[in-house]
Amino acid sequence: LSYVSISLTLVSCLLVWRLLGIYLSRELQILGTMVFALHPLTTSLAAAVMTEPLFLTLVLAYVLSLDRLWHESSPVSLVLQALTLAWIILIRPIGLILIPATYLASCIAKRQRRGVGVVLLAILVVLPCPIFMYHRIGTATEYFSQWQLGALFINTISSITSIGSPICCFRPI
């Protein structure tokens, strides 16, 4: 399994090379890729059998393919981009930061509909997973715990302001 992590790290280095090639000169591209590849965190995680190499590879692939999404109007590329975003979010909760980043990038590229489409499809894929896992294993996963805290916060604010709970059917455990 460590070969998978090493392979994913090598793919990440290739994706960093391509990403830096868009914005930097050839010399800086080489230097940036070397700094990434030889960084102690990159080298230590390359041999570990963990989700960090997969997460990093998917994030880099996602960012690189965003530019293609803005120029192509293919529904297949939109769905693939949304599935990649959903997979990133399911691997690591910090992947949620890509939702506003995608929307911001779509606003800058003046392709808001495509950005919103990617985000909405990704959310539709991600939403059932924590609920399914809760019913499957009987305990709250990290995602479900965060949803419970959010629902508790919204219910508390709603009761304070006497507006009524917008989440009337969801009760924290």
Side-chain angles (χ1 to χ4, degrees), residues 18 52 107 121 146:
R18 291 188 60 206
E52 278 82 3
C107 289
L121 281 173
Q146 297 302 317

Side-chain angles (χ1 to χ4, degrees), residues 85-153:
L85 178 58
W87 195 253
I88 289 169
I89 294 169
L90 289 172
I91 290 173
R92 290 273 184 247
I94 194 66
L96 288 168
I97 195 88
L98 289 175
I99 289 175
T102 300
Y103 182 70
L104 179 63
S106 70
C107 289
I108 291 170
K110 295 185 172 78
R111 302 282 192 242
Q112 289 93 344
R113 283 187 169 197
R114 291 184 190 154
V116 169
V118 166
V119 168
L120 288 178
L121 281 173
I123 289 172
L124 285 174
V125 170
V126 170
L127 279 179
C129 294
I131 296 169
F132 171 76
M133 289 305 296
Y134 176 75
H135 290 292
R136 183 93 168 132
I137 62 176
T139 60
T141 62
E142 182 179 344
Y143 283 100
F144 201 71
S145 298
Q146 297 302 317
W147 287 4
Q148 289 173 335
L149 290 175
L152 180 64
F153 175 74

Side-chain angles (χ1 to χ4, degrees), residues 146-156 165 167 170-172:
Q146 297 302 317
W147 287 4
Q148 289 173 335
L149 290 175
L152 180 64
F153 175 74
I154 290 171
N155 286 337
T156 303
S165 177
I167 307 177
F170 183 78
R171 299 176 66 80

Side-chain angles (χ1 to χ4, degrees), residues 44-115:
S44 67
L45 291 178
V49 182
M50 300 170 107
T51 58
E52 278 82 3
L54 177 62
F55 177 76
L56 180 62
T57 302
L58 287 176
V59 168
L60 289 169
Y62 179 79
V63 170
L64 273 172
S65 60
L66 271 179
D67 187 53
R68 183 180 53 201
L69 180 70
W70 307 146
H71 300 302
E72 289 182 14
S73 61
S74 167
V76 173
S77 62
L78 185 109
V79 169
L80 288 175
Q81 194 75 11
L83 289 175
T84 305
L85 178 58
W87 195 253
I88 289 169
I89 294 169
L90 289 172
I91 290 173
R92 290 273 184 247
I94 194 66
L96 288 168
I97 195 88
L98 289 175
I99 289 175
T102 300
Y103 182 70
L104 179 63
S106 70
C107 289
I108 291 170
K110 295 185 172 78
R111 302 282 192 242
Q112 289 93 344
R113 283 187 169 197
R114 291 184 190 154

